[in-house]
Amino acid sequence: MALPDLAPTAAAERRPIWPAVLWLVFLGPFFFLSYGYANHYSSALPHVGSFVYDWEQGLPFWPWTILPYMSIDLFYAASLFLCTSRAELRTHAARLFAATVVSVVCFLVFPLRFSYTRPATSGFNGWLFDLLTGFDLPFNQAPSLHISLLMILWTCYARHLRGAWRWTMHAWFTLIGVSVLTTYQHHFIDVWTGAAVGVLCLYLLPGAPWTLRFGRAAAAASPDAQAPTPKASHVSSMDSDVARHRQLARRYALGCVAFLLLALVALQMNWVTVTLLLCWPAFALAMVALAYRGQGERVFQKQDGRMRWPARWALGTYLLAAWISSRLYTRRVAPYVEVYPGVWIGRAPSAGDLRRGGFTAVVDLAAEFPARPAALRLDYAQVSMLDLVFPTEAQLSAAAGAIVAARQRAEATVQKAGGDVSGRGGVPASSGRLLIHCALGYSRSALAVAAWRARQGEDPESVLAHLRAHRAIVVAPAWVQALRSMIPKGAAE
C-alpha cells in the first residue's frame, strides 16, 4: 500500500468543516459551469470526430451501471468533509480543481464525440439516463473527467477508510470505473487518458513533504545555493558540481524534447495512441531534469523506502529504463562486494540479491528506485541521493550516521545473543551483513562509505583506494577534498 499523501495531522487540529463547505460552494458550480460550457461549445461545432478502437464494438450495454456512474457526484461532495486538516483539504481540493481545468481545456481544444447510439432504457434506470442526458451531451470525451476525478477520490477515500468499509469502497469504485464504458458514455481512449490526468494531478500536487518548489523557493534549493560560502580550496569542487547538475539537467531536457518531436511525427502520421504514449517518457524526463535544477530528490516522492504510486506511474518509463540500465551496467561484475568486515556495497538489490547475500541490514541511497519488500523487512534506512552528482553535506552525514546506527544495532543484537563482538576496522565481527547500495554500487555507495570512515578519522583518499581494490568505483577527484571536511577536528591524519 502506498504511503499517505500528506503529513500527519496535528492532534489538536479540528476537522475543517467550514473550509470544506466553502470549497464545495466553489468547486460544485465551477464544475457544472465549465463542464456545461465545454459541452455547449462542442455541440455547436459543424463537425466533431470520434476515436474508437475496433475491439470496442463488443462492449456490452448494462443499464443498471448508471447508478454507480452517477454516484460519483455524492462521493465528490462527501470527500471534502473526509479531510482531517486544512493542508489535506487544500491539496485534495486543488487536485479536483486541476483535473477539471485540464479536462475542460482538452474538451475545448480537442473535441470528440461518443459515436454509439445508446439503447432505449426505462424505469428507474431510464429516469437516471434522462437526468444525465439533460446535462451531459456526448461531447466531453477525452480525457474522461469521470475517471480523473474517480482516481483522486479513490486515493482520498482509501486514506480514510478501514476494514470492510474500505473493501466495499474498492468494489464500488471499480464499478464506477467500469460504468463509463457500460453506460455508453465514453470510449476507451477517454478512459486511459482520463487515468493519465488523474495520475498527473496526484503526482504534481502531492502535499507535504514532496511539494514542488518554484520561483524563489526553487532558486534557493538549486545546486548553486545548496552549500554555504566555500573556502578557497573548495571553490573548484563546488563549481564543478554545479556545472554537473546543469549538464545533467540539459541532457534530460534534451531527451524530453526528442520524445516530443517523435510524438509530433507520430501525430502527423495520425498515430494518435503512439503520440499520447510518447508524451509519457517526455514528461518523466522533464521531471528528472527538474530534479537536477533544484527540485532534488522530492521528484521521486520516496519515503521509508516506498515511492508513492502516482510517482511510480508518472515516472514509470524512466524508472524502468533506469532499472534496466542498472542491470546492464552490472551484468559482468559482482552485484555486491564486501569492502569491510560485515559491510558490503553494491547495486540496487532484487529480492534474489538480498536472499543470496544473506543481508540483515540495508542503507538505500537510490532516490530513483522504490525498495523491494524484502529489503523493508530487514533493518532498513533510506538516505536518498541523486545519481552522478556529489551529495550535499547533510546527505553524506545522514548516510554515515545510518551506517553507524545499523552497525550499532547489529552489535547490540550480537551482544544480547552472547556472540563475538571483537572485530577489525571498528566493525564488530559476526554482527550481520550490511548492504549499502545505490543504483550500480559505483558512486553514491562508495561516497557513503568514505563519509562513514572519514567520521572515524580516516583519510578519504585512502578509503577510496581501499574501495577501488574491491570494486570499480566512480568518484571524481574533486570530491575528495569535500569528504576530508567530514574528518573530526583533532583526529589523527
Side-chain angles (χ1 to χ4, degrees):
M1 188 65 197
L3 288 176
D5 295 285
L6 304 167
T9 307
E13 187 175 357
R14 294 181 179 180
R15 190 181 294 270
I17 299 298
W18 286 111
V21 171
L22 293 177
W23 271 112
L24 182 59
V25 169
F26 167 71
L27 288 173
F30 174 77
F31 167 79
F32 284 107
L33 289 174
S34 59
Y35 191 86
Y37 173 76
N39 242 321
H40 173 74
Y41 171 82
S42 298
S43 66
L45 294 175
H47 173 73
V48 178
S50 301
F51 188 93
V52 189
Y53 295 106
D54 292 339
W55 58 267
E56 293 184 62
Q57 303 285 343
L59 287 175
F61 176 72
W62 294 340
W64 62 271
T65 56
I66 187 62
L67 182 59
Y69 181 87
M70 296 193 67
S71 70
I72 196 172
D73 293 335
L74 295 176
F75 285 106
Y76 183 109
S79 68
L80 296 165
F81 298 92
L82 279 180
C83 300
T84 56
S85 71
R86 289 176 180 267
E88 181 184 8
L89 175 62
R90 283 194 300 269
T91 300
H92 178 59
R95 292 169 178 171
L96 297 175
F97 177 76
T100 304
V101 169
V102 171
S103 297
V104 168
V105 169
C106 290
F107 300 154
L108 295 173
V109 178
F110 307 107
L112 289 173
R113 179 189 181 102
F114 187 80
S115 61
Y116 296 165
T117 301
R118 189 169 60 220
T121 53
S122 60
F124 178 69
N125 293 332
W127 176 76
L128 288 178
F129 273 108
D130 291 341
L131 185 65
L132 177 65
T133 304
F135 166 71
D136 190 10
L137 300 175
F139 292 98
N140 292 352
Q141 293 295 297
S144 167
L145 182 54
H146 216 82
I147 294 296
S148 302
L149 296 176
L150 176 64
M151 298 190 71
I152 296 169
L153 296 174
W154 206 326
T155 300
C156 179
Y157 280 90
R159 189 166 57 245
H160 291 283
L161 298 181
R162 297 292 182 269
W165 285 109
R166 185 188 183 94
W167 287 107
T168 302
M169 178 273 301
H170 284 319
W172 190 258
F173 276 29
T174 300
L175 273 179
I176 294 176
V178 171
S179 71
V180 301
L181 295 174
T182 57
T183 55
Y184 280 15
Q185 285 295 117
H186 284 282
H187 290 302
F188 186 68
I189 192 171
D190 312 342
V191 174
W192 69 264
T193 52
V197 171
V199 167
L200 289 180
C201 291
L202 288 165
Y203 171 70
L204 293 173
L205 297 167
W210 303 286
T211 304
L212 299 177
R213 300 185 291 197
F214 296 97
R216 292 183 180 179
S222 69
D224 311 58
Q226 283 180 351
T229 303
K231 298 178 181 178
S233 59
H234 293 177
V235 170
S236 61
S237 176
M238 287 179 55
D239 288 346
S240 174
D241 191 50
V242 170
R244 183 63 173 160
H245 274 85
R246 292 174 175 172
Q247 180 187 46
L248 289 169
R250 283 195 296 269
R251 288 181 181 179
Y252 284 113
L254 287 173
C256 168
V257 171
F259 275 103
L260 289 177
L261 290 176
L262 288 174
L264 288 175
V265 172
L267 185 61
Q268 291 296 318
M269 302 181 71
N270 205 30
W271 295 347
V272 177
T273 302
V274 174
T275 299
L276 294 173
L277 288 176
L278 285 170
C279 292
W280 187 6
F283 174 82
L285 291 171
M287 293 309 301
V288 178
L290 286 178
Y292 286 97
R293 285 299 293 162
Q295 298 299 337
E297 298 77 16
R298 70 174 52 83
V299 161
F300 297 100
Q301 298 180 5
K302 179 179 174 180
Q303 188 174 60
D304 298 327
R306 296 179 175 89
M307 191 178 289
R308 292 180 65 243
W309 72 264
R312 293 200 302 268
W313 277 99
L315 305 178
T317 50
Y318 170 79
L319 299 179
L320 177 61
W323 181 261
I324 293 173
S325 174
S326 75
R327 269 41 205 166
L328 291 176
Y329 277 99
T330 58
R331 70 187 186 280
R332 294 181 180 177
V333 299
Y336 39 80
V337 295
E338 188 175 26
V339 292
Y340 289 96
V343 178
W344 302 64
I345 64 173
R347 69 184 184 186
S350 63
D353 290 336
L354 293 168
R355 183 179 62 255
R356 287 187 293 269
F359 298 110
T360 56
V362 172
V363 173
D364 178 2
L365 309 174
E368 67 271 32
F369 294 139
R372 294 303 177 101
L376 297 177
R377 290 192 290 268
L378 305 177
D379 181 2
Y380 177 87
Q382 172 195 325
V383 183
S384 290
M385 303 176 181
L386 291 178
D387 195 14
L388 300 173
V389 292
F390 190 71
T392 64
E393 183 178 347
Q395 289 171 328
L396 283 175
S397 295
I403 295 170
V404 170
R407 301 310 302 164
Q408 289 174 343
R409 287 189 295 268
E411 180 179 357
T413 301
V414 173
Q415 288 178 329
K416 187 176 180 180
D420 177 20
V421 296
S422 62
R424 296 181 293 106
V427 181
S430 305
S431 59
R433 295 161 71 91
L434 168 63
L435 174 63
I436 304 160
H437 79 81
C438 47
L440 307 178
Y442 294 161
S443 183
R444 286 170 284 183
S445 52
L447 289 171
V449 171
W452 165 51
R453 304 303 291 184
R455 280 179 49 160
Q456 296 184 359
E458 294 188 33
D459 181 66
E461 195 163 4
S462 299
V463 175
L464 294 173
H466 171 78
L467 296 179
R468 288 190 184 95
H470 294 78
R471 192 172 184 83
I473 64 172
V474 180
V475 176
W479 295 348
V480 176
Q481 187 61 41
L483 286 168
R484 284 202 177 100
S485 66
M486 300 190 68
I487 301 176
K489 291 182 180 180
E493 295 295 334

